[in-house]
Amino acid sequence: MPVERTLSIVKPDGVRRNQIGEVYRRFEGAGLRIVAARMLQLTTSQAELFYEVHRGRPFYGDLVRYMSSGPVVAQVLEGEDAIARNRQIMGATDPKKAVPGTIRADLAESIEANVVHGSDSPETAVREIAFFFSTTELCPRA
């Protein structure tokens, strides 16, 4: 399996409820390395730009408001098949449909306040990583 990098975000609900360490524990326990991380609060404009792909969908405005409502922690995860592995660790977007033991099944409050975001493809990962990090901010592979 190829070594990949993917973007993950601990969303405002996860930060507010002090779940960053638990989320990181799950990533690292599954063999993913955190090669870059930062805490920030997205402006409305930044959230609109980041979620541009969803513009026009009924949930877009609520998503932008939610993602700019408090601090988030963005990180780049690296490992074999990192994109698929991260998505498996996160679980389904709707925590009611997520497999027990996944982040969303165990920690999420709702479909919106579902603790984490993760890139869904290699192309999306490249775009999303570049949104938050320059190449000089990514730690080199060990």
Side-chain angles (χ1 to χ4, degrees):
M1 287 185 219
V3 173
E4 297 176 321
R5 286 182 171 172
T6 189
L7 184 83
S8 172
I9 301 173
V10 180
K11 294 180 175 182
D13 62 297
V15 173
R16 184 184 77 253
R17 292 186 293 127
N18 206 28
Q19 295 175 325
I20 300 164
E22 177 60 20
V23 170
Y24 277 21
R25 183 191 68 75
R26 291 175 187 228
F27 293 152
E28 293 176 335
L32 296 173
R33 290 182 51 229
I34 299 165
V35 297
R38 78 162 26 115
M39 181 180 276
L40 69 152
Q41 182 153 353
L42 294 170
T43 65
T44 299
S45 297
Q46 287 171 321
E48 287 172 342
L49 184 58
F50 185 76
Y51 286 104
E52 178 70 26
V53 66
H54 297 303
R55 188 179 295 279
R57 291 182 146 169
F59 60 84
Y60 176 74
D62 288 340
L63 177 61
V64 167
R65 275 187 291 285
Y66 170 66
M67 289 301 292
S68 58
S69 70
V72 299
V73 177
Q75 54 273 320
V76 178
L77 306 176
E78 179 182 86
E80 288 186 12
D81 207 22
I83 296 165
R85 187 178 292 171
N86 180 43
R87 296 192 67 75
Q88 182 179 23
I89 295 163
M90 289 189 308
T93 302
D94 183 346
K96 293 177 186 169
K97 297 177 182 175
V99 174
T102 62
I103 291 170
R104 290 172 172 157
D106 295 348
L107 305 176
E109 296 177 320
S110 69
I111 195 166
E112 181 181 78
N114 63 11
V115 185
V116 287
H117 163 91
S119 302
D120 62 4
S121 70
E123 298 78 22
T124 302
V126 168
R127 180 182 60 77
E128 290 183 346
I129 290 168
F131 186 89
F132 287 99
F133 300 96
S134 71
T135 55
T136 60
E137 294 174 305
L138 303 175
C139 290
R141 291 191 172 119

